[in-house]
Amino acid sequence: MTTLTDQDTQGGPAVTPRNPTPAAAGADTARGPVLRVRGVGKSFGGAAALTDVDLDLYPGEVHALMGMNGAGKSTLVQILSGVHQADAGTVEVDGQAQPALTVRRARKLGIAFVPQRRELATDLSVAENVLLGDLPTRHGAVRWRQLKSEARRALSGLGIDIDVERTAGSLTVAEQTMVEVAREVRRGGRILVLDEPTACLSAEAAHQIRRLVRTLRDEGVAVVYISHYIDEVTAVADRITVLRDGAVVRSAPAAELGPAALVRAMVGRDIVSRRSERPAPRDEIGLAVRDLSDGRAVRGFDVQVRKGEIVAVLGPAGDAQSRLFDLLSGRRRPDTGELLVDGAPVPFGRVDASLAGGLRCVTGDRRALGLVPGMSLDENLLLAGDRLARRRLHRRGELTRRARPLRRRYGVVSLAGNPPVSALSGGNQQKVLLAKWLGTGPVACFLEDPTNGVDIAAMADIHTLVDELAGRGVAVLLASSSAEEVMRLADRVIVVSAGRTVAEHDVTAITRDELVATALGGQPQ
Amino acid sequence: MSVTTLPDAPGTGTPPGRGRRPSRLDALRRAPHAGLTAVLVVVVVATMLRTDAFATDTNLINILRQVSVTAVIAAGLTLLMTAGGMDFSMGSNVSVTTALGAQLLSHGHSTVVTVVVTIALATMIGLVNGLVVTFTHVAPFVVTLATATLLDGVALLVLDSVSVSIGTRMFPLGNGDVLGVPYLLILAVLVLAATALVMRFTVFGRDAYAIGGNEHVARLSGIDVTARKLTLYALTGALSGLAGLMLLSRLGSSSPGTGGLTLQLTAVAAVVIGGTSLAGGHGTVTGTVLGVVLLGVVANALNLLQVSSNYQPVSVGGVLLVAAIANEFHKSRSARN
């Protein structure tokens, strides 16, 4: 916390400029902010989640909200959208103080929230979703033709090209986001809060979302953009506000904030993200996959990972990675292929065989496949370990004692006691997931997007943990959609596209830009 | 810029939850099963005010004897529902068991043979439910609703639509006691205690929570989900068999309509009142015990107060609704803290 520069401390809440001028050319400053937050504070059960937060939103401006998990972004957004009421401070919309902002009232005022988990009615058509709650009817019967044309108009007005007759369930995540945005805008949303709209998206899909955000800005909507991705925020935002420990530490035009300054503001210290020295891999093969094919998702995948080596599989999110998880973990049987762990063949399609062979697969989807939400932190930590050790009895006190070293080693921070794992921040949940598997003496590991949706400090911690894992002589196969992560961790990288291996490189013999070019181009250079 | 306190934010700055000091009442309210216990206390006190016949030893023992059969079924159901399963056929399994038991005994078979055969059959029925559920992925509710209807019919066939008496065979089990405690109650308490211990202190019990909480995670964590589910369904079957024998010994005969849907619904109501999640992942035997006792007390109170038996289902439904709402309030309250 001591590495803050003068420049940083100037941005502290006490001296935040009260009437900041938006940087965007298109921002409509003449009419003043559409939303003004002053001195807002909120505490939950004694813990202060927000203190003295100021925020100004102007129409036609993209205002990025950054901060680590638990910095107070969600609380602030929940206050704006009326889910929580502030303990202190004021929220003004169009210059009118809004002392009792409820969800309904916020919506009426045009404040709309697009959550990270999209909320569409998956069995209904896109058109119905766009007009949901406001379907055109005549004598109680839905007027389908009018419904479709209005939906089409709402989408095309924002430059979105999606067939309105498709069912929402068939949309990609990016398309779902677009439909949800169109719905909110049509309902009169003029302050739009987007919560990590590009998390888990491929580069192309993320690009589409950013284009939509720019269209919204040009239409005069005030956009609050929450994201962990620094590159993206500096590219899309006009103004950036950084929260740390519930307070605003920096609020400035995006042009004034470089990546390094942002990281420092968010974390309060410099984050070292350099490759670390690891002992050279041994000459034994820890994990070998031969000619693995499964439908169109994985085609002829081959890899050999030595003990102590990290081999990355780089591809757009949602390409081969999650299917590799299903196949290697034994959840799914491939069409063809062979798997050897520590030289011994392991049959596909059986979770127990995969585990018994010493292979540990860590999912990139911790909510669906990683943790049991209602169970306590400690029980989740030991869920797999206790079953592998064939334990029969379960005692809470003893469980806590055994979980303690795991918590410490994997840096799981919990406020008090042993809460349900769902109460932890994303970064902490991810560490629990890693500890659950890496603490069970693996021979080989498959890690799918291990830093998905975690803040930069947790990301750095997790990278260190993966380094240590390889340092212990474990063969690590890492599936990732981030070139930075691959450059930081891997010894070798296999670039995949549409399920096929398109290139293989020694990481030390390639630059980041070359790697990105290979991944984007989909062709070996 | 001055910091304005909003008019509706009472006690700004007082730390704990929504501006109030934590009182003992709060702690009490957050205690597990607080809402349910409160409802139970209200019903008991109200009944005691209206009639002296309620708070007597004989009446209380009578209540407990009557709820014993439900309690055994509810115990199995608690474990199964915690694991995300559902067995709607337990009541009908009881019908089949009592019918078969009565026929065996009335045809001169020994009690031992009867007990072994009926419990074996009941376990098989549970296992078949389990096999269909695990290998076809049809929703457990649908599978067991179908088997429930089927078993109701089988029970009628076994009885040939007439009442079959077992005379005084098994009479001591159904009506005897040791030091004033009925054998049936002892059996029920043993089953409940065993279930509670399994759920809390064994990995098998924790597996149930994990499977109910997230079946994919459970499987990936090395839990043999299929084997666990089969065991759980077989177990609920076996407990249905035990409950059937208990019921038979108390009634001394088996008639068309013994057990069946009424018993099933009472058990499900008790488990749900006790806070076990229909979606799986949560459940306690303590809650189930409270639910079983609450329903038993309500039925008994209505009897003592000479309320028409037509009001019984009305009141059971009412209690279920009130308790479910109380549970939900309690849950959202503790979730916010």
Side-chain angles (χ1 to χ4, degrees):
Chain A
M1 297 295 270
T2 52
T3 53
L4 273 182
T5 62
D6 291 345
Q7 197 193 7
D8 277 321
T9 38
Q10 270 175 17
V15 284
T16 306
R18 290 312 182 189
N19 292 304
T21 333
D28 192 352
T29 47
R31 281 187 294 162
V34 59
L35 186 129
R36 185 197 291 266
V37 171
R38 282 294 173 269
V40 156
K42 176 76 188 172
S43 48
F44 296 101
L50 283 181
T51 37
D52 198 22
V53 167
D54 294 353
L55 187 75
D56 287 289
L57 297 180
Y58 291 88
E61 187 187 54
V62 178
H63 195 133
L65 211 51
M66 298 197 79
M68 317 242 289
N69 294 325
K73 292 171 307 207
S74 321
T75 311
L76 179 57
V77 166
Q78 282 169 333
I79 286 174
L80 296 185
S81 49
V83 177
H84 290 307
Q85 274 70 48
D87 294 338
T90 55
V91 176
E92 285 175 23
V93 179
D94 295 330
Q96 298 278 312
Q98 299 291 342
L101 203 59
T102 59
V103 174
R104 186 185 287 247
R105 179 115 192 85
R107 168 147 277 173
K108 220 170 178 179
L109 291 166
I111 304 173
F113 178 59
V114 178
Q116 214 176 335
R117 305 198 93 185
R118 320 291 182 248
E119 289 172 340
L120 294 178
T122 48
D123 289 338
L124 297 186
S125 68
V126 168
E128 287 165 283
N129 270 290
V130 171
L131 271 77
L132 207 62
D134 184 29
L135 298 184
T137 56
R138 179 190 286 154
H139 310 308
V142 175
R143 305 178 62 179
W144 289 100
R145 200 174 302 166
Q146 191 189 342
L147 169 71
K148 280 179 216 159
S149 68
E150 280 193 31
R152 246 176 239 127
R153 207 175 317 137
L155 291 176
S156 62
L158 295 174
I160 303 169
D161 181 26
I162 297 174
D163 180 357
V164 297
E165 292 183 36
R166 284 170 65 188
T167 56
S170 71
L171 300 178
T172 65
V173 176
E175 288 171 331
Q176 290 178 27
T177 310
M178 293 178 185
V179 169
E180 209 157 330
V181 166
R183 171 165 80 194
E184 296 302 342
V185 170
R186 192 184 167 279
R187 277 179 183 169
R190 57 205 178 99
I191 302 168
L192 218 57
V193 183
L194 304 178
D195 188 7
E196 296 195 38
T198 56
C200 310
L201 292 191
S202 68
E204 169 57 24
H207 178 69
Q208 288 176 4
I209 296 291
R210 285 193 292 272
R211 201 165 54 207
L212 173 64
V213 168
R214 292 195 187 98
T215 313
L216 288 170
R217 177 183 64 194
D218 297 343
E219 296 284 317
V221 175
V223 181
V224 178
Y225 196 87
I226 300 177
S227 175
H228 279 307
Y229 303 120
I230 290 176
D231 293 351
E232 169 175 292
V233 165
T234 42
V236 80
D238 302 311
R239 169 166 285 274
I240 302 175
T241 293
V242 180
L243 289 171
R244 188 171 77 223
D245 300 329
V248 175
V249 288
R250 206 68 216 274
S251 185
E256 292 175 17
L257 288 169
L262 273 175
V263 171
R264 257 200 318 279
M266 279 194 281
V267 187
R269 60 183 159 95
D270 286 306
I271 291 280
V272 184
S273 176
R274 270 194 305 272
R275 289 182 63 84
S276 61
E277 290 301 313
R278 283 198 309 268
R282 294 182 216 158
D283 270 342
E284 299 162 71
I285 303 294
L287 174 72
V289 179
R290 284 188 201 139
D291 191 31
L292 184 66
S293 291
D294 188 45
R296 299 162 61 87
V298 177
R299 295 186 259 194
F301 182 75
D302 272 294
V303 70
Q304 288 200 334
V305 189
R306 287 176 292 166
K307 292 186 178 174
E309 188 183 31
I310 302 178
V311 177
V313 181
L314 176 70
D319 201 89
Q321 293 100 318
S322 53
R323 184 62 64 90
L324 276 178
F325 172 81
D326 285 350
L327 296 173
L328 296 180
S329 67
R331 291 188 79 213
R332 188 186 164 98
R333 217 180 291 270
D335 298 336
T336 63
E338 245 185 302
L339 171 64
L340 290 108
V341 179
D342 209 2
V346 170
F348 279 113
R350 280 175 48 203
V351 175
D352 58 338
S354 176
L355 289 173
L359 178 60
R360 305 287 179 262
C361 299
V362 184
T363 174
D365 188 352
R366 61 175 174 268
R367 224 184 307 228
L369 300 176
L371 301 170
V372 183
M375 271 189 164
S376 70
L377 158 58
D378 288 345
E379 208 169 343
N380 267 291
L381 271 177
L382 291 162
L383 190 63
D386 279 4
R387 270 70 186 180
L388 288 167
R390 307 229 169 275
R391 278 176 178 271
R392 297 251 177 265
L393 292 182
H394 168 96
R395 290 198 308 277
R396 271 180 220 183
E398 180 240 21
L399 185 84
T400 307
R401 236 188 352 269
R402 286 188 292 123
R404 206 171 294 141
L406 272 177
R407 281 202 199 189
R408 201 176 314 128
R409 174 148 186 211
Y410 290 89
V412 179
V413 186
S414 164
L415 287 176
N418 185 15
V421 78
S422 50
L424 300 180
S425 70
N428 268 315
Q429 288 188 14
Q430 193 66 27
K431 288 180 192 170
V432 171
L433 180 61
L434 285 167
K436 167 185 167 181
W437 287 115
L438 308 189
T440 59
V443 176
C445 272
F446 175 73
L447 307 178
E448 181 192 359
D449 267 334
T451 54
N452 181 7
V454 309
D455 62 55
I456 12 176
M459 190 181 289
D461 291 346
I462 289 170
H463 287 163
T464 311
L465 288 172
V466 176
D467 265 333
E468 286 170 9
L469 183 70
R472 292 206 303 269
V474 175
V476 180
L477 185 61
L478 168 80
S480 182
S481 47
S482 151
E484 282 76 15
E485 185 161 277
V486 170
M487 297 300 291
R488 160 75 180 78
L489 286 174
D491 298 302
R492 283 187 293 135
V493 53
I494 294 171
V495 181
V496 294
S497 177
R500 274 188 220 286
T501 301
V502 291
E504 186 166 347
H505 294 284
D506 199 324
V507 167
T508 48
I510 187 171
T511 67
R512 178 194 170 276
D513 293 343
E514 284 165 353
L515 183 57
V516 171
T518 320
L520 286 180
Q523 288 301 319
Q525 296 191 320
Chain B
M1 181 69 55
S2 65
V3 174
T4 328
T5 307
L6 299 181
D8 64 339
T12 308
T14 33
R18 279 155 272 99
R20 272 187 299 106
R21 208 174 276 276
S23 66
R24 252 178 231 171
L25 194 68
D26 273 349
L28 210 61
R29 251 197 295 222
R30 256 179 245 132
H33 311 301
L36 183 51
T37 316
V39 174
L40 183 58
V41 168
V42 168
V43 172
V44 166
V45 170
T47 317
M48 281 166 67
L49 289 177
R50 298 287 297 278
T51 170
D52 292 335
F54 179 76
T56 61
D57 289 354
T58 29
N59 186 53
L60 294 181
I61 290 289
N62 189 29
I63 296 177
L64 293 175
R65 192 201 307 269
Q66 280 171 352
V67 300
S68 296
V69 174
T70 317
V72 168
I73 293 184
L77 208 50
T78 306
L79 187 50
L80 182 64
M81 279 170 63
T82 298
M86 173 48 112
D87 189 347
F88 227 70
S89 71
M90 293 179 82
S92 308
N93 197 339
V94 166
S95 304
V96 171
T97 316
T98 49
L100 180 69
Q103 288 290 20
L104 287 173
L105 287 173
S106 70
H107 282 78
H109 291 282
S110 77
T111 313
V112 176
V113 168
T114 308
V115 168
V116 170
V117 170
T118 50
I119 291 199
L121 176 70
T123 311
M124 282 301 300
I125 291 172
L127 191 60
V128 169
N129 277 332
L131 286 168
V132 177
V133 167
T134 43
F135 289 106
T136 64
H137 302 287
V138 177
F141 176 83
V142 177
V143 171
T144 57
L145 190 63
T147 46
T149 315
L150 194 149
L151 292 173
D152 280 342
V154 170
L156 290 177
L157 290 173
V158 172
L159 287 175
D160 203 12
S161 298
V162 293
S163 188
V164 177
S165 168
I166 59 167
T168 57
R169 307 270 303 270
M170 294 181 84
F171 182 86
L173 173 66
N175 302 278
D177 58 51
V178 49
L179 302 172
V181 185
Y183 288 127
L184 290 184
L185 178 59
I186 294 174
L187 268 178
V189 168
L190 285 177
V191 168
L192 286 164
T195 312
L197 291 176
V198 164
M199 288 179 76
R200 176 125 189 210
F201 292 110
T202 68
V203 168
F204 177 81
R206 304 316 291 180
D207 285 354
Y209 283 95
I211 295 168
N214 188 330
E215 193 176 322
H216 298 299
V217 176
R219 185 169 280 126
L220 287 168
S221 300
I223 297 172
D224 190 341
V225 174
T226 308
R228 290 288 179 278
K229 281 188 172 176
L230 290 178
T231 313
L232 286 170
Y233 278 99
L235 191 67
T236 55
L239 287 175
S240 308
L242 177 63
L245 290 173
M246 288 165 69
L247 188 62
L248 181 63
S249 71
R250 186 156 69 82
L251 299 176
S253 69
S254 175
S255 325
T258 302
L261 200 59
T262 324
L263 180 60
Q264 177 69 43
L265 287 178
T266 315
V268 173
V271 175
V272 173
I273 289 173
T276 296
S277 164
L278 275 168
H282 296 277
T284 58
V285 172
T286 321
T288 297
V289 170
L290 286 170
V292 167
V293 171
L294 177 63
L295 290 179
V297 166
V298 168
N300 179 262
L302 293 175
N303 263 336
L304 293 181
L305 299 174
Q306 295 177 328
V307 177
S308 150
S309 66
N310 293 343
Y311 283 100
Q312 292 254 357
V314 175
S315 60
V316 170
V319 168
L320 176 57
L321 203 55
V322 169
I325 292 169
N327 278 337
E328 205 49 48
F329 264 121
H330 187 253
K331 214 179 346 178
S332 55
R333 186 175 280 273
S334 29
R336 264 189 273 165
N337 281 286

